[in-house]
Amino acid sequence: MSFVEYGDTIKDGDTAIVFLGHESMFPVKVQHGTVTQTKYGVIRHSTDLIGKKYGSKVTCSKGGWVFILHPTPELWTMNLPHRTQILYSTDISIITMMLELKPGSIVCESGTGSGSLSHALIRTVAPTGHLYTVEFHQQRAEKAREEFREHGVEHLVTVTNQDVCKNGFGVSNIADAVFLDIPSPWEAIGHAKSALKAEGGRICSFSPCIEQVQRTCLAMEEYGFTEINTLEILLRVYNVRTISLQIPDLGKAAEDNSSAGFDSSDPSHQGSPCANLQQGTVQFKSGVPLREVVGHTGYLTFATKS
């Protein structure tokens, strides 16, 4: 199993995603002799998982069932253990596009955090690219190394435990892109410039506060970066639902016209909006925004090394 290469069958030691529903899923490490409890009953790894194909429908001990999915960076973002605040797919998608990443790209990242963006970057630059990621916190760096090894991508990433603002990324003049997600990114702009290739490398800085953005932009200008621009991604999700609305009372004339032109007993009219006139409601499909939506996550500042 690897996050960048698809495998057909579930093997001992794999990380798999147990899918109970769109808003209910969790990762599990497949191990011989282990069981996993769900609300639908027990999943026995030896008999229910190992050797089965990814995407299989697995029946639990209580008769309910779940799907077992192959892990992807997107699914990992939704299910990973949070060691820090993470980036989600909405911001990750624009980051990979604006940094012009492709297979074979060399990327520097700080900090690693929970590894949400790291997994997406690794998948994008594979199979010949490389990610150099720097994490200030020692325990988080060690945990990231462990996860990359378990996920089969350790050959595509180098994790370094150091302060990027003081010691940089540990590489010079090779990176196609640099990503910064640290409290004071303006202190690392000089090291980012040193890590980038001689000309045309791209940089992105993620900051939740506009004051951080202002100082970062000034530092970028000072170090000669061009095409500096800041943007914010806001996502609004809609659910498609059946809506029932009461038909307004338009008076006797409207009732006469309705009864004269519509026969509710006619089978050809069944299922049409007019079929509900006698009930006083009409049903139709509509897009309804979620009651709670994710607002501001952070500002993304991009620039190019000239």
Side-chain angles (χ1 to χ4, degrees):
M1 183 277 304
S2 172
F3 272 56
V4 297
E5 296 177 359
Y6 183 78
D8 286 332
T9 58
I10 305 170
K11 299 180 178 63
D12 189 17
D14 281 2
T15 298
I17 305 297
V18 179
F19 181 89
L20 292 83
H22 288 291
E23 296 182 356
S24 180
M25 63 185 92
F26 59 89
V28 62
K29 185 173 181 179
V30 179
Q31 293 179 311
H32 185 77
T34 303
V35 298
T36 297
Q37 295 282 351
T38 74
K39 64 181 180 180
Y40 300 126
V42 172
I43 301 174
R44 295 175 176 83
H45 293 202
S46 300
T47 57
D48 297 333
L49 298 184
I50 297 176
K52 299 291 181 65
K53 286 191 174 183
Y54 279 107
S56 297
K57 184 178 180 180
V58 173
T59 302
C60 304
S61 61
K62 293 181 180 179
W65 47 266
V66 299
F67 288 105
I68 308 299
L69 305 181
H70 192 284
T72 65
E74 291 79 11
L75 289 174
W76 187 244
T77 291
M78 297 171 64
N79 295 281
L80 58 78
H82 285 235
R83 300 183 289 272
T84 60
Q85 182 58 265
I86 70 170
L87 289 175
Y88 290 92
S89 297
T90 306
D91 287 319
I92 291 173
S93 60
I94 197 70
I95 289 169
T96 55
M97 184 188 75
M98 295 293 286
L99 289 182
E100 302 173 2
L101 301 182
K102 59 186 181 300
S105 295
I106 306 297
V107 187
C108 293
E109 175 197 27
S110 184
T112 312
S114 301
S116 174
L117 176 64
S118 303
H119 282 80
L121 294 177
I122 291 169
R123 196 262 308 273
T124 302
V125 305
T128 56
H130 201 83
L131 172 66
Y132 295 89
T133 182
V134 178
E135 174 56 52
F136 176 79
H137 194 272
Q138 182 180 357
Q139 285 74 25
R140 288 201 293 263
E142 292 174 354
K143 186 61 179 178
R145 289 193 192 98
E146 179 184 340
E147 286 181 350
F148 293 143
R149 184 169 57 254
E150 291 179 352
H151 298 166
V153 296
E154 72 275 10
H155 61 292
L156 297 170
V157 56
T158 299
V159 181
T160 305
N161 172 220
Q162 64 187 30
D163 186 350
V164 70
C165 296
K166 295 180 179 179
N167 306 114
F169 293 93
V171 297
S172 299
N173 302 319
I174 65 169
D176 297 289
V178 170
F179 176 80
L180 298 174
D181 183 6
I182 55 178
S184 53
W186 55 89
E187 296 180 0
I189 298 299
H191 294 297
K193 183 177 181 180
S194 299
L196 287 168
K197 59 187 181 181
E199 186 177 359
R202 295 279 286 167
I203 184 174
C204 174
S205 174
F206 177 90
S207 297
C209 301
I210 195 64
E211 291 81 6
Q212 294 170 301
V213 174
Q214 292 171 330
R215 296 189 66 174
T216 302
C217 289
L218 291 174
M220 288 179 175
E221 289 181 347
E222 181 181 346
Y223 281 95
F225 284 89
T226 59
E227 300 178 336
I228 302 171
N229 66 90
T230 299
L231 52 87
E232 179 184 27
I233 308 300
L234 299 178
L235 179 67
R236 191 175 190 188
V237 179
Y238 285 80
N239 283 338
V240 177
R241 295 180 180 176
T242 300
I243 305 297
S244 297
L245 292 180
Q246 187 173 5
I247 298 175
D249 183 2
L250 301 178
K252 189 175 185 304
E255 294 175 2
D256 293 342
N257 292 336
S258 298
S259 60
F262 174 71
D263 181 5
S264 60
S265 63
D266 187 348
S268 65
H269 290 144
Q270 296 298 319
S272 66
C274 296
N276 294 313
L277 281 175
Q278 290 183 341
Q279 288 75 34
T281 61
V282 61
Q283 293 184 338
F284 59 93
K285 295 290 185 180
S286 178
V288 180
L290 302 182
R291 292 183 178 181
E292 295 182 2
V293 297
V294 177
H296 169 77
T297 57
Y299 300 102
L300 293 169
T301 301
F302 297 91
T304 303
K305 181 179 179 180
S306 61

